[in-house]
Amino acid sequence: MTADCRRQACVTLDLENNWNFDDPKLQYATFEHLEEYIDLIDALDLPLSVFVVGETIEERPDAIDRLRERLEVEFHLHSYSHDLSGTADLGREVRRGKRAYRSFFGRQPKGYRSTQGRVERSDLQLLESEGFLFDSSVFPTYRPGVYNNLDTPIEPYRAGGLYEIPVGVVPKLRIPLSQAYVKAIETPFLPVLRHVPLQDVVVFNTHLQDFYHTRAHEELDYPKRFFYGRNIDNAERVFRRVVDTLRRKGFSFVTMTDVYERCTAGATARQNVPP
């Protein structure tokens, strides 16, 4: 099927420490598989948009360099410390993250993604004041104890002067279009994905830990260990099927900047953030 220029899909990678382990042997265990991930993205001829944590920029610039050497890739900011407690001060995270980003890349980041998708309306105002052009933190679904975004749009929308480009979901079901979820519930997820209509802009979220099992997985508590470990040996095959499905549905693969530029042209973005 010929790609429909109105339908855009974007693969994003959250490049971060593994679940904030303090043990140096666990912190970046999944980075041992970075070349495998690069090979996968390269073989599928996909542009990649990376949301990178500020501390990761400082601690693992080699990973950024390798991604830039091998792939068509762009980088945005994914907090500074990737604090999983939900108590980190957003202003501090943003400002420290921007300093780390500018120090390495020599420019201001255009896009932002918060840790665990935790973002409030006031946070979007802060991001706008800090010079970001778009945010891609919102998962338009429900995650107990983390967020309830069942009433938010699933297409990009404008929040003041900032654009929110949410992570994709299956409409009505609101299941995230994320490698972690697709891998864990491959059946019936993939058959559903083939047959249901999707929104015109799909942001597909990935992490290295969604693809490759490491010793860090074994240190997780049981619910997380089960979820992240489930079907992980088939993760690359599952991802290939997702990409093939989206292409068959007429999607062209683009970067987050491409999606943002389409938003500013008025093609997809709603005019206001929902009440």
Side-chain angles (χ1 to χ4, degrees):
M1 179 182 294
T2 302
D4 185 338
C5 64
R6 296 171 300 175
R7 314 201 79 190
Q8 295 180 325
C10 182
V11 175
T12 68
L13 170 67
D14 290 356
L15 192 63
E16 62 199 33
N17 181 319
N18 301 307
W19 301 293
N20 289 46
F21 286 116
D22 292 328
D23 185 343
K25 295 181 180 179
L26 300 178
Q27 286 179 344
Y28 292 106
T30 53
F31 282 45
E32 297 169 10
H33 297 274
L34 182 62
E35 287 296 327
E36 295 170 63
Y37 182 85
I38 290 173
D39 288 343
L40 176 65
I41 299 299
D42 183 51
L44 292 170
D45 193 24
L46 298 171
L48 182 66
S49 298
V50 177
F51 289 87
V52 60
V53 169
E55 285 185 341
T56 302
I57 296 173
E58 295 171 343
E59 297 169 355
R60 293 300 304 268
D62 59 301
I64 297 172
D65 288 339
R66 193 60 183 144
L67 285 161
R68 292 202 291 188
E69 289 170 5
R70 294 279 313 278
L71 298 175
E72 178 189 345
V73 62
E74 65 177 26
F75 292 87
H76 305 285
L77 186 62
H78 185 32
S79 80
Y80 176 75
S81 67
H82 201 258
D83 179 79
L84 297 177
S85 70
T87 62
D89 177 78
L90 179 67
R92 180 175 180 273
E93 287 287 296
V94 167
R95 287 186 286 274
R96 292 191 70 186
K98 284 172 60 178
R99 284 197 294 271
Y101 187 101
R102 286 197 303 265
S103 177
F104 184 84
F105 293 101
R107 57 180 172 80
Q108 160 82 12
K110 295 179 181 179
Y112 191 83
R113 176 169 286 164
S114 65
T115 305
Q116 292 185 312
R118 297 177 185 267
V119 66
E120 304 292 337
R121 185 171 181 174
S122 59
D123 296 336
L124 298 179
Q125 295 170 347
L126 185 150
L127 292 174
E128 179 185 351
S129 70
E130 288 288 340
F132 289 92
L133 302 180
F134 68 86
D135 176 70
S136 185
S137 300
V138 173
F139 286 72
T141 185
Y142 174 65
R143 183 175 177 180
V146 182
Y147 49 72
N148 183 353
N149 297 325
L150 292 173
D151 62 345
T152 60
I154 64 175
E155 294 276 10
Y157 55 88
R158 188 169 181 173
L162 187 83
Y163 285 88
E164 177 61 42
I165 306 174
V167 176
V169 293
V170 176
K172 296 185 179 179
L173 299 175
R174 296 272 180 155
I175 303 173
L177 293 171
S178 169
Q179 176 68 11
Y181 284 87
V182 180
K183 171 187 65 64
I185 51 175
E186 175 185 1
T187 303
F189 199 121
L190 287 176
V192 169
L193 188 63
R194 285 197 299 269
H195 291 101
V196 300
L198 297 175
Q199 58 268 41
D200 285 340
V201 174
V202 167
V203 175
F204 190 84
N205 179 235
T206 73
H207 306 77
L208 292 176
Q209 57 262 36
D210 301 332
F211 289 87
Y212 309 108
H213 184 272
T214 71
R215 54 192 177 276
H217 287 76
E218 301 306 316
E219 298 300 320
L220 296 170
D221 57 31
Y222 176 71
K224 284 186 177 180
R225 186 167 71 249
F226 175 78
F227 177 75
Y228 286 106
R230 178 172 168 76
N231 203 30
I232 199 164
D233 290 340
N234 295 317
E236 287 197 2
R237 177 182 59 78
V238 170
F239 181 71
R240 289 176 183 272
R241 291 183 63 185
V242 169
V243 171
D244 180 67
T245 297
L246 292 175
R247 282 179 167 149
R248 288 178 180 272
K249 284 179 171 288
F251 283 89
S252 58
F253 282 87
V254 300
T255 65
M256 290 297 294
T257 298
D258 293 327
V259 174
Y260 166 74
E261 289 176 350
R262 177 179 172 181
C263 289
T264 59
T268 62
R270 298 190 181 200
Q271 291 304 304
N272 297 291
V273 67

